[in-house]
Amino acid sequence: MGAIERVLITKEELNKQVKEMASRISKDYEGKELVIIGVLKGGFIFLADLAREITIPVDLDFMSVSSYGNSSKSSGVVKIIKDVDTNIDGKHVLIVEDIVDTGLTLNHLVELLKTRGPLSVKICAALDKPSRRKVDVQVDYKGIEIPDEFVVGYGLDYCGKYRNIPEVCILKKDVYLK
Ligand code: 5GP
């Protein structure tokens, strides 16, 4: 695709990361009642890969949140567009997200879900951009660390596009500086 500057993380690297995380999650939650909550839209591809590598029974649900609008900079405003349908009272919750950037979205989601009586709320994220963190959020299953670059692919978009690229890529700057 012409808008792509270069591939940052290949399919093979993502696949390896997913398998390692799924194996840890399967061990840690063995015999426990786990609800996995995928954060839409960005987390959908990672969750689809991760869920199929998890070897224990889990409930799957989704939340849809928006923090970026149509720009490549975080607004800090987290809007819940779709909430979960599952009752998480007395269950363990694992939030599955595409990337932790400022941490504002996950911080907000953890605090919200904790008010609903779960036994625990943990976080699993495919990518981590620690240099941009604004709030200290504990990521229990931390994915691949990336530099301060705006990335697309593997579920991540720019203006709704490029989510379907199978690798994590750096977008050409002129695409979003236009
Ligand atoms: P945070 O609240 O941690 O700043 O980030 C929340 C959301 O911003 C992420 O779930 C993701 O959807 C989006 N985001 C953060 N960094 C990037 C990036 O480099 N590329 C894209 N496409 N989205 C990002």
Side-chain angles (χ1 to χ4, degrees), residues 2 25 27 35 56 59 64 70 73 81 98 106-107 113 133 143 146 149 153 157 166 172-173 178:
I25 292 166
K27 277 198 201 93
V35 181
I56 55 168
D59 272 359
S64 180
N70 267 347
K73 286 272 176 297
I81 296 162
D98 50 6
L106 282 168
N107 195 47
L113 293 171
R133 208 71 97 243
I146 63 165
E149 297 272 7
D157 75 313
K172 280 185 184 153
K173 287 221 164 38
K178 256 186 228 162

Side-chain angles (χ1 to χ4, degrees), residues 66-68 73-79 102 104-105 108 134:
S66 158
S67 69
Y68 265 27
K73 286 272 176 297
S74 181
S75 63
V77 178
V78 181
K79 201 165 88 187
T102 61
L104 290 167
T105 306
H108 183 88
K134 283 191 184 151

Side-chain angles (χ1 to χ4, degrees), residues 110-174:
V110 168
E111 292 312 312
L112 174 71
L113 293 171
K114 274 186 179 166
T115 63
R116 300 180 182 173
L119 291 177
S120 68
V121 180
K122 291 194 172 173
I123 293 172
C124 174
L127 305 172
D128 183 23
K129 228 193 260 182
S131 58
R132 298 226 332 140
R133 208 71 97 243
K134 283 191 184 151
V135 284
D136 186 23
V137 54
Q138 190 187 332
V139 186
D140 307 273
Y141 302 92
K142 209 182 275 185
I144 301 170
E145 199 171 302
I146 63 165
D148 184 8
E149 297 272 7
F150 187 76
V151 293
V152 294
Y154 201 60
L156 289 149
D157 75 313
Y158 175 66
C159 287
K161 294 200 175 56
Y162 313 112
R163 293 191 198 277
N164 56 315
I165 298 173
E167 301 95 1
V168 175
C169 300
I170 295 178
L171 204 56
K172 280 185 184 153
K173 287 221 164 38
D174 59 349

Side-chain angles (χ1 to χ4, degrees), residues 23-35 54-58 90-92 119-120:
S23 152
R24 273 183 60 208
I25 292 166
S26 304
K27 277 198 201 93
D28 293 352
Y29 290 97
E30 175 86 65
K32 296 181 178 162
E33 210 169 337
L34 176 62
V35 181
I54 290 177
T55 54
I56 55 168
V58 295
K91 297 174 186 163
H92 294 278
L119 291 177
S120 68

